[in-house]
Amino acid sequence: MTYVQTTHGADFFGQDTHTAKAVRDLAGYARGCLPYDVREPLARLLESAGTEAEATIPADQAETFAGLLATVASHRFTKAKAAKVARLLGDSAARAAAEGEPWTWTTTATG
């Protein structure tokens, strides 16, 4: 199974780990919940989860993504499990932006 580990997460080590599939599934919610002119950069990032060894998102872009992910998480059509992943990703993006640091995604595989 493939996982995506993000920096600035909520665990003791400052990381969050999500299945790549759960993150990729959020792209559909982003496209359904967000206005056309702002959704594509986030949707492309979500769709690429688990396909690259590492992705680094600059702090200013992480701040934008944090707001968009919060919108996806709180949208009435977003299912609870997807909303939780969106909320956790949004929170870690917001922490990275607040610290002025890049938000990094690392792909790991098990099994």
Side-chain angles (χ1 to χ4, degrees):
M1 184 169 284
T2 304
Y3 294 91
V4 175
Q5 189 174 64
T6 62
T7 59
H8 301 86
D11 77 357
F12 178 76
F13 300 105
Q15 300 172 337
D16 283 334
T17 303
H18 309 281
T19 65
K21 181 183 180 332
V23 176
R24 284 192 304 266
D25 288 348
L26 285 178
Y29 288 104
R31 287 199 170 97
C33 300
L34 299 171
Y36 179 80
D37 58 335
V38 298
R39 69 182 177 207
E40 282 310 307
L42 175 62
R44 283 193 302 270
L45 173 67
L46 296 170
E47 285 175 338
S48 71
T51 62
E52 298 178 23
E54 187 171 286
T56 302
I57 296 93
D60 60 334
Q61 193 172 19
E63 183 175 18
T64 300
F65 287 164
L68 296 174
L69 286 161
T71 300
V72 171
S74 64
H75 197 277
R76 64 184 175 154
F77 292 124
T78 304
K79 293 185 178 181
K81 285 184 180 182
K84 180 179 179 182
V85 174
R87 188 171 45 259
L88 289 169
L89 286 172
D91 289 349
S92 65
R95 281 191 287 276
E99 294 174 16
E101 297 176 354
W103 184 38
T104 305
W105 293 25
T106 306
T107 299
T108 60
T110 62

